[in-house]
Amino acid sequence: MPRAVFFDLDSTIISWETSFRTVWETVSRGFTAELGGLTPTALYQAIRGVSDWYWSDPARHRAGRLKLYVTRREIIRLVFERLGRDDWALADKIADAYTAAREREEALAPRAIETLEDLRRRGYRLALITNGSGYIQQAKIEKFKLAPYFDNILIEGVFGCGKPDRRVFLHTMEKLGVSASDAWMVGDDLEFDIAPCNALGIYALWVDGKGDGLPENAAARPDVIIRDISEIPGLL
């Protein structure tokens, strides 16, 4: 049993009912009248291709997530370049529409606050560890009034490095005064949340929100698989 529980933020405490791919598809359709001879389907497929390429590189991934709004504009401009278009104002408008749509859809995961309150009431120390820019992630924390539930909050853009860097977890353990054997980590990303905990000996709970199960070729192996964080109190 742990003395402390570490939580990821996105797709763990905060969730989105609609996938990012579906949102891109919807946004593409919304600009049909401004696309000229380009169909929304062709735009969406181009966005998927460039996005998958962009985020597949670890260095680009880290740099991109630290300036996410700018990165989305850069991606759509790359899409337009590949499509032979140079109407950059429209490209930026499409990227910003996607950002606005994602922000409208973000919500707390089922019974998230009740779960955090329950753990605090039982005396567990709680930490929040999230990748991304300080501005964007702090805005989410403030929007959902999450700060009072955590003894320590680490945001990649503020701390200077992010998951899966082991320094993130070592720092959090030091701040909470616990060892690896005293901690649980809860997150949805096998590479960023689970794999580093496997290496450090931290008990890892993987949030499989879609219920797809562990991929056969998964490099990381969680100790427990849950659908959402409301299951955690029942494990303690």
Side-chain angles (χ1 to χ4, degrees), residues 40-113:
T41 299
L43 174 62
Y44 168 66
Q45 290 174 344
I47 291 172
R48 280 195 60 175
V50 173
S51 294
D52 290 347
W53 166 81
Y54 186 94
W55 295 113
S56 66
D57 179 79
R60 281 198 304 267
H61 197 294
R62 183 179 190 279
R65 66 180 182 254
L66 290 175
K67 53 181 181 68
L68 188 57
Y69 297 162
V70 174
T71 298
R72 286 172 180 159
R73 285 188 167 197
E74 291 175 353
I75 288 173
I76 302 305
R77 286 185 172 224
L78 286 172
V79 168
F80 272 40
E81 284 183 9
R82 293 191 179 187
L83 294 172
R85 303 178 65 110
D86 60 2
D87 39 350
W88 309 125
L90 177 59
D92 291 346
K93 189 176 177 181
I94 291 171
D96 294 346
Y98 173 83
T99 292
R102 285 289 280 176
E103 289 181 350
R104 284 194 301 271
E105 290 203 359
E106 64 190 17
L108 289 169
R111 296 177 294 283
I113 295 301

Side-chain angles (χ1 to χ4, degrees), residues 7-16 61-62 64-69 72 99 102-103 106 108 128-147 150 153-159 161-163 188 193:
F7 285 91
D8 168 53
L9 180 61
D10 294 333
S11 299
T12 299
I13 291 176
I14 294 174
S15 64
W16 289 262
H61 197 294
R62 183 179 190 279
R65 66 180 182 254
L66 290 175
K67 53 181 181 68
L68 188 57
Y69 297 162
R72 286 172 180 159
T99 292
R102 285 289 280 176
E103 289 181 350
E106 64 190 17
L108 289 169
L128 184 64
I129 305 174
T130 179
N131 283 357
S133 76
Y135 170 77
I136 293 175
Q137 298 307 86
Q138 187 61 46
K140 294 174 187 174
I141 292 167
E142 292 176 2
K143 177 180 179 179
F144 294 108
K145 299 179 174 58
L146 294 173
F150 295 98
I153 295 174
L154 187 152
I155 302 174
E156 178 185 23
V158 177
F159 182 65
C161 66
K163 301 172 293 183
D188 72 297
D193 299 318

Side-chain angles (χ1 to χ4, degrees), residues 116-124 126 148-151:
L116 296 175
E117 289 176 342
D118 183 280
L119 296 177
R120 293 289 291 183
R121 192 163 48 246
R122 297 196 203 187
Y124 294 102
L126 305 182
Y149 298 102
F150 295 98
D151 299 288

Side-chain angles (χ1 to χ4, degrees), residues 144-187:
F144 294 108
K145 299 179 174 58
L146 294 173
Y149 298 102
F150 295 98
D151 299 288
N152 192 66
I153 295 174
L154 187 152
I155 302 174
E156 178 185 23
V158 177
F159 182 65
C161 66
K163 301 172 293 183
D165 194 308
R166 69 197 310 267
R167 290 174 293 177
V168 167
F169 300 94
L170 295 175
H171 176 81
T172 301
M173 287 189 283
E174 180 181 359
K175 294 292 288 187
L176 268 60
V178 297
S179 64
S181 61
D182 295 322
W184 284 11
M185 175 67 200
V186 185

